Amino acid sequence: MGPFGWTVATTVGISLIAWIGVFTLFLRDELVDRLLLVLVALAAGGLIGGAFLHLLPQAIADAGSQDTFPLFLWFIGGFCLFFALEQFIHWHHHHAVTHEHEPVSYLVLLSDTLHNFIDGLVVAAAFLSSVPLGLVTAAAIALHEIPQEIGDFGVLVYGGFDRRQALVLNYLTQSTVVLGGVVGAFLGGALTGVPTVLLPFAAGNFVYIASSDLIPEIKQETDLRRSVVYFAVFLTGIGLMLAVRFLRSVATRPDVF
């Protein structure tokens, strides 16, 4: 199986991670409601960790000796765009007759779509380099997608979608990793430089959602014990992203292969 086959096979596998929230269909509504803020806290930590431990460092590494200042402009651009989008969605909700979903739900769907497409490009580029590197890269992406998809599912349900809708929407956004993989495999070297600017842009999206929408939700908790639990889960989300980065750095050392 060549690089294209490996890319499609692994990205399809990664896309299936979106169904990890299916276990909640067998839980009572009361229990799911109690878990939602825990999942929101996990999502917040995962987004912050993903932005500062994966996307930005990868963009800076890809830039090499070039001036990295433009990357931070892309980061700010991603942050500001989502700020403007949320303001527009709030305005739309204010003037709509009825609305069922919180603006953060749509922001999560948009950012996840972009992020997963970028992941697909990264997987394709890795397999074009070598199959072992592609496998390691796909495994690392899959590992960091597990906690992120659980958190995103929780945010969608918390934002007003029912569990089945959240699962389907999560899968549709996650499946863009396959599209990114196919595009990356076909275009190959023609994409040089494009993913580099998309990485900090997506990081800006992540930081905006976490800091503006998710963290304020868990900060509203007045019970000290629950506040400690939410903060611990938030740190767990960051810790999981740090662990994945460590495993990936070890696995991609030149002496491994």
Side-chain angles (χ1 to χ4, degrees):
M1 189 160 57
F4 178 76
W6 278 110
T7 298
V8 171
T10 54
T11 53
V12 168
I14 291 170
S15 72
L16 297 178
I17 295 172
W19 295 103
I20 196 168
V22 73
F23 73 92
T24 63
L25 297 178
F26 305 100
L27 302 179
R28 299 193 311 273
D29 290 343
E30 298 81 5
L31 180 56
V32 173
D33 289 341
R34 286 163 54 189
L35 286 173
L36 284 180
L37 276 178
V38 173
L39 296 180
V40 168
L42 181 68
L47 290 172
I48 292 293
F52 290 109
L53 301 177
H54 288 269
L55 298 180
L56 282 175
Q58 186 63 53
I60 293 170
D62 289 347
S65 60
Q66 300 176 21
D67 182 14
T68 58
F69 179 75
L71 299 179
F72 292 95
L73 291 180
W74 279 97
F75 174 86
I76 294 172
F79 188 99
C80 292
L81 176 62
F82 268 51
F83 183 17
L85 281 174
E86 186 167 43
Q87 293 299 99
F88 171 76
I89 296 171
H90 274 301
W91 177 88
H92 176 74
H93 276 209
H94 180 72
H95 290 83
V97 177
T98 60
H99 57 84
E100 301 177 356
H101 309 121
E102 294 298 322
V104 65
S105 304
Y106 302 108
L107 295 182
V108 165
L109 291 173
L110 284 171
S111 67
D112 216 22
T113 297
L114 175 61
H115 176 223
N116 289 320
F117 182 79
I118 295 170
D119 279 347
L121 295 177
V122 171
V123 170
F127 275 115
L128 288 171
S129 176
S130 73
V131 171
L133 179 61
L135 291 172
V136 169
T137 301
I141 288 173
L143 282 173
H144 89 250
E145 284 296 332
I146 293 172
Q148 185 166 320
E149 289 305 313
I150 294 174
D152 288 349
F153 171 78
V155 172
L156 292 177
V157 176
Y158 190 78
F161 291 98
D162 67 43
R163 281 176 269 176
R164 287 180 175 80
Q165 288 176 324
L167 280 171
V168 172
L169 289 171
N170 226 19
Y171 175 70
L172 291 176
T173 59
Q174 183 73 7
S175 64
T176 56
V177 70
V178 182
L179 177 61
V182 171
V183 169
F186 272 112
L187 298 184
L191 285 174
T192 302
V194 177
T196 300
V197 297
L198 290 178
L199 290 172
F201 183 82
N205 303 162
F206 280 19
V207 172
Y208 178 80
I209 294 170
S211 60
S212 178
D213 293 303
L214 304 186
I215 292 176
E217 289 295 326
I218 59 179
K219 278 177 60 180
Q220 292 178 13
E221 180 58 59
T222 56
D223 182 82
L224 179 60
R225 185 181 64 84
R226 289 181 181 176
S227 294
V228 171
V229 170
Y230 295 154
F231 184 64
V233 174
F234 171 76
L235 292 179
T236 299
I238 296 176
L240 288 171
M241 294 297 126
L242 180 61
V244 171
R245 177 169 177 79
F246 173 75
L247 291 173
R248 184 175 180 178
S249 66
V250 171
T252 53
R253 285 187 325 212
D255 58 317
V256 172
F257 301 123

